[in-house]
């Protein structure tokens, strides 16, 4: 007895030292989080990094200026936009917007000047676009303001809606506006929305959009953490039915979150759109290790082992399996490092670190707490309500191997067929639900004007002796622009050619390039005022920018149109004079989407190989490795089949699901196989070892899967469709994985072992 007392004192002393160190480090991390954790909403980080197209876009932007530092304000008047009272209010709003800090200019129908060219002459002058002081000129005959405006394609679908009921104000802001500047504009514009009583007022743009995203990210973070805690408490109570059974695991996962967020804060690494789900994942993934350890500990207590012996047995038998599951889960996340998207790589890296942090805390804090606590009273569990249903399920499974294999073969075949139907497609606003406020705001501009997807093209003169304002180059570039307008569907085009066409239109002609005499006159004017063309021409006139807008048609349709454009260029344009390159934010996002399948397959193959290698090192038997992989590959096929059947596209959010789900799903298989190996090492027959394994690990496997599924399902409350998809698809994968582990895996093991010939009784 004295010897045991000394051992107990030694364990308790170590426990206090360990907890003191953990508490000190946790306090340090809490201070770091409070001081330094932040949110990063730089969406340019989703562009493919170290990519020639990204580099080209950055250089293009340096030459011509940014393409997204603006705010669109859409105003609707059901009685028509050319009413005097409506335009008077528009003018007041224009002045209010112009007076805001960080606003460098406002293009509004009420302050625009209209350049005129005298018919038959070479004289240019300007007049107001709308004659607000002379309302009789607003509407009427062919010379009225409204008639003149709707003949000009540069005004229709950009400033004026085709239906005559909406107008758009273009508010130019300072470039690269920081968070405080964006917050200021968002607040002030919200005040102006309340001040004016238009039929409808809509606002869209980077400044207000980013502030909205930050608020949405914080809202999601609070919702995820709150619902995760509630669900964990419910499942822990069902599993252990005691206060300590809830508090001990909860402390571990709370500490895991503090540590990983603290590490990020120390490294000055903010939460981004992907990392905002990190705390939720840590709650649900970190709980798996704890439940397996506590379940084994309670099992030993129930069998009559003293507390410290039960503790040692639990950590000895579950330890290796838990280390393996943590490593495989981390590998699943680390495969995201193959992605070209920086936020995805960061998400994979820090989540993998978090998984290993949770493992370390589970094997330091948990034994320390259990060593210091009294032995749990588990009299209520002596009947073990799990034993009978698990025993019946095992018998049912072992008696129907042919049926189980046939069902999985059929499911796999059907899933594989539909998985082949999955397409790569993405939309600019796809990450927000259709009912989301911000998406509704953008939908207004998509519906009323040229669209919200930016179209950006760079045109480069190849001839050394010519520049963009040379006759030959203008004529070639005009062919491209006409194709874009008539065949591609680009609206609201601004380019050097549009300047010439507008001059021709306003001299009484059609919206086409004017005659040679007029072209020479305009060219002479442009060469003298090159500073005013900075947004569309470089100072040496060798490069031009053609910018416009199209509908949010999806990358598949846009890709087809790009191929038609390439064919047109080869057939109709002299490549020795002019070359083009598509660029811009939308183009880079599309390229990312095209690279997703390759990075996903690469990551998944890497996960398969690494996890298989780890399993082989541990088990030393190829057949055990193969058996462990099969039940976890099938759920991935099922998810792919579901995506194909439901018409879900492969995009940033859905591409990462496969590697994440595989890394997590294989955990239960490892626990099952590890326990089976221990039973076989005791000299048990395969059938007896299978039964003991089934009854021992079945409970923990089911509980952890339910917690994981419920935890990931909390992500469906997000307004971000990417996070929503992760919640739905990962939880579905884990659900099918546990079914495969408890039905297909035992059958495969039994069939692969020649000695198993007896019927189950």
């Amino acid at each position: 007895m004295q010897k045991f007392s000394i051992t107990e004192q030694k364990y308790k002393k170590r426990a206090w030292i360990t907890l003191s160190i953990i508490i000190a480090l946790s306090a340090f991390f809490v201070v770091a989080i409070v001081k330094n954790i932040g949110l990063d909403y730089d969406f340019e980080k989703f562009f493919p990094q170290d990519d020639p197209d990204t580099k080209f876009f950055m250089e293009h932007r340096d030459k011509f200026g940014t393409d997204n530092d603006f705010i669109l304000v859409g105003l609707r008047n059901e009685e028509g936009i050319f009413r005097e009272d409506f335009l008077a209010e528009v003018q007041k709003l224009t002045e209010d917007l112009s007076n805001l800090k960080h606003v460098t200019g406002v293009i509004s129908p009420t302050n625009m000047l209209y350049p005129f060219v005298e018919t038959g002459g070479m004289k240019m002058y300007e007049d107001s676009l709308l004659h607000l002081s002379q309302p009789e000129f607003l509407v009427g005959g062919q010379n009225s303001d409204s008639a003149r405006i709707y003949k000009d394609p540069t005004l229709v679908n950009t400033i004026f809606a085709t239906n005559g009921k909406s107008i758009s104000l273009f508010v130019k802001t300072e470039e690269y506006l920081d968070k405080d500047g964006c917050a200021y504009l968002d607040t002030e514009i919200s005040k102006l929305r309340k001040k004016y009583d238009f039929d409808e007022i809509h606002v869209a743009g980077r400044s207000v959009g980013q502030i909205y995203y930050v608020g949405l990210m914080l809202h999601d973070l609070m919702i995820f953490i709150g619902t995760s805690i509630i669900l964990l408490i419910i499942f822990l109570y069902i599993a252990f039915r005691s206060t300590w059974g809830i508090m001990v695991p909860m402390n571990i996962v709370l500490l895991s979150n503090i540590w990983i967020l603290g590490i990020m804060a120390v490294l000055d690494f903010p939460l981004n759109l992907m990392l905002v789900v990190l705390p939720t994942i840590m709650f649900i993934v970190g709980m798996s290790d704890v439940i397996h350890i506590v379940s084994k500990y309670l099992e030993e207590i129930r069998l009559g082992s003293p507390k410290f012996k039960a503790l040692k047995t639990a950590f000895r038998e579950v330890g290796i399996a838990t280390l393996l599951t943590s490593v495989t889960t981390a590998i699943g996340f680390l495969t995201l490092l193959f992605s070209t998207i920086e936020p995805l790589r960061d998400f994979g890296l820090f989540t993998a670190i978090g998984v290993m942090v949770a493992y370390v805390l589970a094997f330091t804090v948990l034994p320390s707490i259990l060593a210091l606590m009294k032995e749990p009273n588990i009299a209520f569990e002596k009947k073990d309500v799990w034993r009978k249903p698990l025993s019946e399920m095992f018998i049912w499974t072992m008696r129907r191997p042919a049926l189980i294999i046939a069902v999985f073969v059929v499911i796999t075949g059907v899933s594989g067929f539909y998985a082949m139907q999955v397409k790569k497609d993405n939309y600019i606003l796809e990450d927000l639900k259709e009912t989301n406020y911000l998406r509704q705001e953008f939908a207004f501009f998509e519906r009323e004007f040229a669209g919200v997807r930016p179209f950006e093209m760079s045109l480069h003169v190849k001839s050394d002796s010519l520049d963009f304002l040379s006759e030959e180059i203008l004529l070639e570039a005009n062919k491209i622009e006409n194709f874009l307008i008539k065949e591609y569907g680009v609206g609201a085009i601004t380019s050097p050619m549009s300047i010439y066409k507008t001059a021709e239109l306003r001299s009484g002609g059609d919206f086409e390039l004017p005659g040679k005499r007029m072209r020479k006159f305009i060219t002479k004017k442009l060469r003298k005022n090159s500073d005013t063309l900075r947004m569309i021409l470089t100072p040496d006139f060798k490069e031009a920018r053609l910018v416009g807008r199209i509908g949010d048609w999806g990358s598949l349709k846009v890709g087809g149109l790009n191929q038609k454009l390439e064919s047109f260029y080869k057939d109709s344009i002299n490549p020795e004079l002019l070359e083009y390159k598509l660029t811009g934010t939308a183009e880079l996002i599309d390229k990312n989407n095209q690279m997703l399948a390759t990075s996903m397959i690469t990551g998944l193959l890497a996960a398969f190989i690494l996890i298989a290698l780890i399993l082989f090192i541990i088990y030393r038997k190829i057949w055990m490795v193969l058996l462990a992989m099969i039940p976890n590959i099938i759920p991935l096929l099922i998810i792919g089949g579901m995506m194909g059947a439901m018409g879900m596209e492969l995009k940033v959010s859905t591409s990462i699901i496969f590697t994440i789900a595989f890394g997590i799903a294989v955990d239960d298989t490892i626990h099952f196989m590890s326990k089976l190996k221990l039973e076989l090492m005791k000299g048990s027959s395969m059938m007896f070892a299978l039964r003991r394994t089934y009854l021992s690990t079945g409970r923990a496997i089911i509980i952890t899967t339910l917690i994981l599924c419920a935890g990931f399902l909390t992500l469906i409350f997000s307004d971000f469709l990417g996070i929503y998809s992760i919640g739905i698809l990962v939880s579905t994968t884990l659900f099918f994985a546990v079914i495969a582990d408890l039905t297909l895996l035992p059958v495969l093991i039994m069939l692969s072992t020649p000695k198993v010939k007896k019927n189950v009784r």
Side-chain angles (χ1 to χ4, degrees), residues 8 44-45 56 88 100 138 151 207 238-239 290 335 352 368 391-392 400 497 528 561 583 623 659 682 738 752 758:
E8 183 177 349
E44 289 189 4
K45 290 183 178 179
F56 180 88
L100 293 179
L138 291 175
K151 290 179 181 178
S207 302
I238 293 173
V290 179
T335 55
S368 299
S391 180
E392 291 177 351
R400 296 166 176 82
M497 291 74 71
K528 288 182 179 180
L561 291 170
T583 187
W623 71 270
T659 49
K682 295 176 182 178
V738 76
S752 66
K758 296 180 181 180

Side-chain angles (χ1 to χ4, degrees), residues 10-26 255 259 360-369 371-372:
K10 181 179 68 174
Y11 280 134
K12 287 187 175 181
K13 182 179 179 180
R14 290 178 179 175
W16 279 118
I17 293 173
T18 301
L19 288 178
S20 298
I21 295 172
I22 296 296
I23 290 171
L25 286 172
S26 300
L255 285 174
W259 277 44
V360 171
L361 290 175
F363 276 78
T364 53
V365 176
L366 184 56
S368 299
I369 292 176
L372 295 173

Side-chain angles (χ1 to χ4, degrees), residues 261-281:
L261 292 176
I263 290 171
M264 292 177 62
V266 169
L267 296 175
D268 196 22
F269 216 98
L271 291 169
N272 57 37
L273 182 58
M274 296 302 304
L275 284 168
V276 76
V277 302
L278 176 59
T280 303
I281 291 178

Side-chain angles (χ1 to χ4, degrees), residues 679-735:
E679 292 296 331
L680 291 174
M681 290 172 64
K682 295 176 182 178
S684 303
S685 66
M686 178 59 76
M687 183 58 72
F688 183 80
L690 269 176
R691 185 174 183 278
R692 288 275 298 170
T693 300
Y694 205 95
L695 298 180
S696 178
T697 62
R699 168 180 171 170
I701 287 174
I702 292 173
I703 292 173
T704 54
T705 300
L706 288 175
I707 289 177
L708 287 166
C709 290
F712 274 104
L713 281 175
T714 62
L715 302 183
I716 67 174
F717 296 110
S718 175
D719 271 340
F720 296 113
L721 288 177
I723 296 175
Y724 173 89
S725 298
I726 291 174
I728 288 288
L729 296 179
V730 171
S731 58
T732 306
T733 305
L734 299 178
F735 173 76

Side-chain angles (χ1 to χ4, degrees), residues 45-47 49 269 272 340-347:
K45 290 183 178 179
F46 281 89
F47 297 161
Q49 304 299 308
F269 216 98
N272 57 37
T340 59
I341 304 174
E342 183 179 337
L344 285 186
R345 296 201 302 267
D346 297 338
F347 172 70

Side-chain angles (χ1 to χ4, degrees), residues 64-85:
F64 298 107
T66 59
D67 62 348
N68 61 352
D69 286 311
F70 64 86
I71 299 172
L72 294 177
V73 179
L75 307 171
R76 185 173 178 86
N77 190 49
E78 294 295 341
E79 296 181 354
I81 56 178
F82 294 103
R83 293 182 61 86
E84 183 181 0
D85 54 348

Side-chain angles (χ1 to χ4, degrees), residues 658-686:
F658 295 92
T659 49
I660 292 175
F662 178 72
I664 299 174
V666 79
D667 292 358
D668 290 339
T669 306
I670 290 174
H671 279 289
F672 192 97
M673 300 293 283
S674 297
K675 177 62 176 176
L676 178 63
K677 181 181 179 181
L678 289 173
E679 292 296 331
L680 291 174
M681 290 172 64
K682 295 176 182 178
S684 303
S685 66
M686 178 59 76

Side-chain angles (χ1 to χ4, degrees), residues 492-556:
I493 287 181
T494 299
S495 71
M497 291 74 71
S498 63
I499 296 175
Y500 288 85
K501 293 179 179 181
T502 302
E504 172 67 12
L505 176 70
R506 293 166 184 174
S507 66
D510 295 323
F511 191 72
E512 296 290 346
L513 277 184
K516 195 170 184 179
R517 183 184 176 198
M518 175 77 79
R519 289 202 301 271
K520 286 184 176 180
F521 169 72
I522 297 172
T523 299
K524 185 177 179 181
K525 291 281 188 182
L526 293 178
R527 290 191 186 279
K528 288 182 179 180
N529 298 278
S530 59
D531 290 342
T532 62
L533 302 174
R534 176 180 174 270
M535 295 294 291
I536 54 174
L537 273 175
T538 54
D540 61 359
F541 302 109
K542 285 290 187 179
E543 292 181 58
R545 175 193 190 196
L546 189 153
V547 61
R549 293 204 301 271
I550 60 176
D552 197 8
W553 301 326
S555 59
L556 277 178

